[in-house]
Amino acid sequence: AGIEALKGDQTGTVKILSILHKRRDLVVDKLNEISGVEVPNSDATFYLFADVTQVFNRFGLKAQNESDIQKFRIDTMHKTGVSFCSRSHFGRAFNNESKVFARFAYSGIEIEPAEEGLDLLKKYWEQE
């Protein structure tokens, strides 16, 4: 199976990688258009860790308060339909960690609904 994966027909692999690259580029571009969000492009995976600290602060929440982070995440999902994981889903924050990160996955969503959701996210996060 390993040899076939490396030497066999790569048509399916090329197709899915092309789709994922388009999705990634859309999500990176749309997130970076939101005031207060910074996210680098990634060639490593189909997840993005966006620094959303400035947006979080506009909502008057505290980065060291886990319940504030979860409130932010859940309120955003209810208002926009966009869900994401918080930093705490991947281990405890470092002492005095002051940044807030959101983890967005783009592997399971088509371009059109991703674009629609990110437009709603921008509108909600920039309203404050």
Side-chain angles (χ1 to χ4, degrees), residues 68-123:
D68 276 2
I69 292 170
Q70 294 312 317
K71 177 182 179 352
F72 174 68
R73 189 178 64 78
I74 291 167
D75 286 351
T76 297
M77 183 181 62
H78 285 288
K79 300 284 186 180
T80 67
V82 176
S83 65
F84 55 88
C85 295
S86 67
R87 161 76 168 84
S88 65
H89 288 103
F90 304 95
R92 282 183 266 159
F94 298 110
N95 289 339
N96 300 318
E97 188 171 312
S98 60
K99 293 196 176 225
V100 178
F101 293 92
R103 180 182 187 246
F104 293 88
Y106 55 84
S107 62
I109 188 166
E110 299 293 331
I111 293 285
E112 189 174 304
E115 190 167 24
E116 180 182 329
L118 291 165
D119 288 343
L120 290 169
L121 187 69
K122 177 179 174 57
K123 184 177 178 183

Side-chain angles (χ1 to χ4, degrees), residues 26 36 51 62 93 104 119 128:
L26 171 80
D51 180 344
K62 304 287 183 214
F104 293 88
D119 288 343
E128 296 299 310

Side-chain angles (χ1 to χ4, degrees), residues 26-96:
L26 171 80
V27 175
V28 167
D29 291 346
K30 287 289 198 178
L31 286 173
N32 280 321
E33 288 175 6
I34 300 172
S35 175
V37 175
E38 294 179 26
V39 60
N41 203 339
S42 173
D43 287 327
T45 185
F46 46 83
Y47 304 101
L48 298 167
F49 269 105
D51 180 344
V52 297
T53 307
Q54 291 178 39
V55 173
F56 187 80
N57 291 339
R58 281 199 301 262
F59 281 83
L61 303 169
K62 304 287 183 214
Q64 287 80 21
N65 184 333
E66 182 60 29
S67 63
D68 276 2
I69 292 170
Q70 294 312 317
K71 177 182 179 352
F72 174 68
R73 189 178 64 78
I74 291 167
D75 286 351
T76 297
M77 183 181 62
H78 285 288
K79 300 284 186 180
T80 67
V82 176
S83 65
F84 55 88
C85 295
S86 67
R87 161 76 168 84
S88 65
H89 288 103
F90 304 95
R92 282 183 266 159
F94 298 110
N95 289 339
N96 300 318

